[in-house]
Amino acid sequence: MRTYQARLDISVDANAALRHYVGTFGRALRTLYAQRRAGKLSARSNLIRHFALTSRQFNAVRITLDAAEKSAREHLTWRC
C-alpha cells in the first residue's frame, strides 16, 4: 500500500491567512454544535455577523456539522 502527501509551498502571509481562516471556521463549527446541543435554533445571521462569515462560508460550516452528526449516528448503529 502506498500513501501520498501533498506539501504546499506557500508564503508566510498565505500561511497566516489560512491559519486564521481555519481557526474561525473551527470556532464557528463548535459554536453551532453547542447551540444545537443546547436546543437553541441558531440564527444564521447572528453567526454570520459574529464570525464575519459569508453566507457560503456559513453553509460550509453547517454542512460540515451535518455530515459529522450523520456519521456519528451511523457509527452508533454499527455497534449492535
Side-chain angles (χ1 to χ4, degrees), residues 44-74:
R44 174 187 175 110
S45 59
N46 290 343
L47 282 174
I48 287 173
R49 191 176 320 110
H50 181 74
F51 291 104
L53 299 173
T54 64
S55 226
R56 187 170 287 197
Q57 290 170 327
F58 175 81
N59 288 340
V61 169
R62 182 185 49 79
I63 289 168
T64 300
L65 181 57
D66 290 346
E69 288 176 336
K70 181 180 177 187
S71 176
R73 280 191 305 272
E74 288 178 2

Side-chain angles (χ1 to χ4, degrees), residues 37 68-80:
R37 296 295 294 168
E69 288 176 336
K70 181 180 177 187
S71 176
R73 280 191 305 272
E74 288 178 2
H75 181 70
L76 290 175
T77 63
W78 295 346
R79 294 185 177 207
C80 295

